[in-house]
Amino acid sequence: MLSVLSYGRLVARAVIGGLSQTDSRDYSLVTASCGFGKDFRKGILKKRMCYGDDACFIARHRSADVLGVADGVGGWRDYGVDPSQFSGTLMKTCERLVKEGRFVPSNPVGVLTTSYYELLQNKVPLLGSSTACIVVLDRQSHRLHTANLGDSGFLVVRGGEVVHRSDEQQHYFNTPFQLSIAPPGAEGAVLSDSPDAADSSAFDVQLGDIILTATDGLFDNMPDYMILQELKKLKNTNYESIQQTARSIAQQAHVLAYDPNYMSPFAQFACYNGLNVRGGKPDDITVLLSIVAEYTD
C-alpha cells in the first residue's frame, strides 16, 4: 500500500508531467487567397481583396490572426447598385477594427456587429446585402473562434479529414441569411438579418491544421472529397505552397462552375428541393487557405 507521502509525490509528478506537455508556444495562421469573379475568366482582383462581388480580408493583431469573407448579393445590380460595394466595405471595416485592436478574439460576432453598425451610421449612402464569415485564431489559447452568417463558411482539416466545419444558414433554398442596408422607407421589404443571428463556434486547433474559408462559389461547386484531394497536394507550410494550392482549388471550382454536365453540390441541393437542375453554379469564388503554424514575429 502506498503511503500518503508517496501518493502525493506521484500526483505531483503527474501534474508536472501534464504541464510540461502543454504547448506554450503562440500559434499563427499562414494564409493565402485566390478567387475568380464570375464575369471574368481570369483570377484577377477586381479591386483590393475583391473577386467579383465577393470580398475578403486578412488581418493580424498582437493577440490574434483574423480573416473573413463576404459574398455580395448580386440581385442589387437590378436596382443600379454595385453589390461589391457593400461586401467590400464590410470587410474593409472589419479589417480596420482588427488592426486597431477594437475586438475580442473570443467574440468574432462582435467584429461583425461593430462593422455592420458603422456601415448603418455611415454618412455616405451605402446600399446592399452580403453574407459574412469571420475566423479568429487566438494565438495563446490555440483556439479558433468563428462567426458565420449565411452560406459562406469554413472547414478545418486535420490528417486529411474534415474535423470541423461551419453550418450553412438559409431562410429557404438559395436565400441565405444576410446583412443588409435598404433604401429609406424600404427596410421592411428587404431581407435583413441581425449579426447576432450568426452561427458561432469555438474549436481547439493544432499545428499543421488546415483552415479553408470561402464563399459559396466554392462549396456550391466542389464537394468535400474534391477539396480534400487538392489539399493533399499541400506538402509545405510556406506561403508560396499555400498560395499555389489555394489557386488550384479556386481554379477547379471555377472550371466546374461552367460545366453543364456536372452534378454540382448546388444542383444536388436544388433537386432535393424539387427543382430540375444540372451543372455547376456560375458564381464569384473566393478562397482563403490557412495553415496553423508556430508564431514568429
Side-chain angles (χ1 to χ4, degrees), residues 169-221:
Q169 293 179 311
Q170 297 261 10
H171 288 286
Y172 42 87
F173 174 68
N174 208 28
T175 306
F177 283 34
Q178 55 201 264
L179 302 176
S180 301
I181 298 180
E187 289 84 359
V190 174
L191 181 63
S192 182
D193 298 285
S194 167
D196 291 335
D199 181 65
S200 300
S201 69
F203 185 81
D204 290 331
V205 294
Q206 300 176 8
L207 290 175
D209 280 357
I210 300 172
I211 302 166
L212 185 145
T213 310
T215 55
D216 68 321
L218 173 68
F219 299 118
D220 281 343
N221 287 296

Side-chain angles (χ1 to χ4, degrees), residues 101-174:
R102 296 170 55 192
F103 76 107
V104 177
S106 60
N107 184 25
V109 173
V111 179
L112 197 57
T113 300
T114 304
S115 178
Y116 176 56
Y117 284 111
E118 279 200 18
L119 267 58
L120 287 173
Q121 297 167 7
N122 199 333
K123 294 180 181 180
V124 179
L126 178 68
L127 303 177
S129 307
S130 82
T131 65
C133 181
I134 306 293
V135 174
V136 183
L137 174 65
D138 187 315
R139 291 213 188 94
Q140 289 189 329
S141 71
H142 308 161
R143 199 157 178 81
L144 197 73
H145 300 273
T146 68
N148 185 57
L149 185 81
D151 57 4
S152 294
F154 70 92
L155 52 84
V156 180
V157 177
R158 180 182 302 155
E161 296 182 356
V162 176
V163 295
H164 192 69
R165 69 174 305 142
S166 57
D167 291 325
E168 186 176 285
Q169 293 179 311
Q170 297 261 10
H171 288 286
Y172 42 87
F173 174 68
N174 208 28

Side-chain angles (χ1 to χ4, degrees), residues 43-64:
I44 300 175
L45 285 168
K46 181 179 178 182
K47 33 193 144 161
R48 184 172 176 266
M49 297 302 279
C50 288
Y51 301 98
D53 298 334
D54 286 357
C56 60
F57 78 92
I58 303 168
R60 173 173 283 195
H61 191 259
R62 62 176 176 269
S63 61

Side-chain angles (χ1 to χ4, degrees), residues 49-96:
M49 297 302 279
C50 288
Y51 301 98
D53 298 334
D54 286 357
C56 60
F57 78 92
I58 303 168
R60 173 173 283 195
H61 191 259
R62 62 176 176 269
S63 61
D65 289 334
V66 187
L67 49 88
V69 296
D71 178 4
V73 176
W76 283 93
R77 192 171 281 106
D78 296 338
Y79 301 93
V81 175
D82 180 357
S84 69
Q85 289 293 321
F86 186 91
S87 57
T89 305
L90 181 68
M91 292 292 96
K92 288 177 183 177
T93 305
C94 287
E95 180 181 12
R96 176 175 54 79

